[in-house]
Amino acid sequence: MSAATPLPQERRLVTAIPGPKSQELQARKLGAVAAGVGTTLPVYVARANGGVLEDVDGNSLIDFGSGIAVTNVGNSAEAVVAKASEQLAAFTHTCFMVTPYEGYVAVAEQLNELTPGDHEKRTALFNSGAEAVENAVKIARAYTKRTAVVVFDHGYHGRTNLTMGLTAKNMPYKQGFGPFAPEIYRVPVAYPYRWLTGTENCAAEAAAQAIEIITKQIGADNVAAIIIEPIQGEGGFIEPAKGFLPKIVEFAKANGIVFVADEIQTGFCRTGQWFACDDEGIVPDLITTAKGIAGGLPLAAVTGRAEIMDAAHAGGLGGTYGGNPVACAAALGSIETMKEQDLNGKAQRIGEIMLGRLRAMQEKFDIIGEVRGRGAMIAVELVKPGTKDANPEATAAIAKACHAEGLVVLTAGTYGNVLRFLPPLVIPEHLLTEGLDIIEGAFSIEGTFAGA
């Protein structure tokens, strides 16, 4: 979309959701696309920018999904479009492993500078978050000469064979797709809302349990890597209790284990800081990134300590499309936009508005068990009134009600009972407020299990 044809930043419904043209396209999708590729909301997008998605029927929907935390800078940020278009006209591909180009190097330099820690770093670029996680495991194993990998309850790391094994939730990610890669071990995470002895005990007890399992059941000397999302995404936007991550990092460092922060969903200003690790001053050995890095183009990265990153032999890392030149150009435009528009500050402002409104709703609707999150990564966990029992039925019903009103929301959680909100960081505040009004209305509708 060019600057000459801006997309009005307003919600506008001219048909039912989905409209007739979207329904026609959905029928074509069902006849052409594999059934395993699901669709949350079968509204087919024609244009998108800022905080809205315009569909083929002329409806304009408020976007609280950002393509699952991808379009942090919006769907057509000026710098992203300009730099990607310029690169597209120059050349689309050579393969960096054959004849390299500056864009790949420039992105690596930016990531080495922006990621936590002032140590010497190296970066390798890939296509997707799952690919980045797989390569982080490869690098950790090459460096440590060990094989075991430790992950956490409620974690999500991808859909490839190895990353399915790393992922905690079975359905829909793992069901029927095994066997999975070996030498993967799962330990408890500090989930404050559901910790049986109370939030105040969560960090210390969860860390102690995780460390005991690693020590007694796996053997610390066998562990190549510990991988964790600083805020768990698909698991339900679980923010580990304060103090948990530092204890795990300390244990990893003491035992020569590579600590990997999976910041694929949390990175690039999403939580109001460049990376979620920054909140507790965590400096990972390796950090995986994707999603928000390139304004919607496929790009991912592993960045980390130079001595660890350089452990893999020449030719051991890479891929035909890894660090595609157009995606690299988009990433440079995306990072430029984040800096110039202070998207960390905007994410913090989004968090203030959303948390305030959602906590007020929590006082009204006893179906809301917890409101949580940082910056523009916010969630509500829905329960059966008077309990902490998961309420996935209500979650689905409220999401459906929001969709019908032209608000794109996503669900998540191991128990399917979390509404998650990931608005673009450039969303106008009036759309943010209107979206929250729709959410409150959905909770108020009789028959959506709202339990007011």
Side-chain angles (χ1 to χ4, degrees), residues 365-369 381-385 391 394 398 443 448-451:
F365 306 109
D366 57 5
I367 192 175
I368 299 178
E381 180 162 354
L382 304 188
V383 296
K384 295 176 181 177
N391 198 337
I398 291 169
F443 276 109
T448 58
F449 309 95

Side-chain angles (χ1 to χ4, degrees), residues 115-127:
T115 50
D118 57 6
H119 50 274
E120 186 178 1
K121 300 173 194 166
R122 301 283 188 272
T123 288
L125 300 181
F126 305 99
N127 300 295

Side-chain angles (χ1 to χ4, degrees), residues 14-16 18-23 43-44 46 54-60:
V14 296
T15 73
K21 292 181 180 179
S22 282
Q23 291 180 42
V43 165
Y44 283 74
E54 185 179 83
D55 73 9
V56 292
D57 290 288
N59 299 298
S60 185

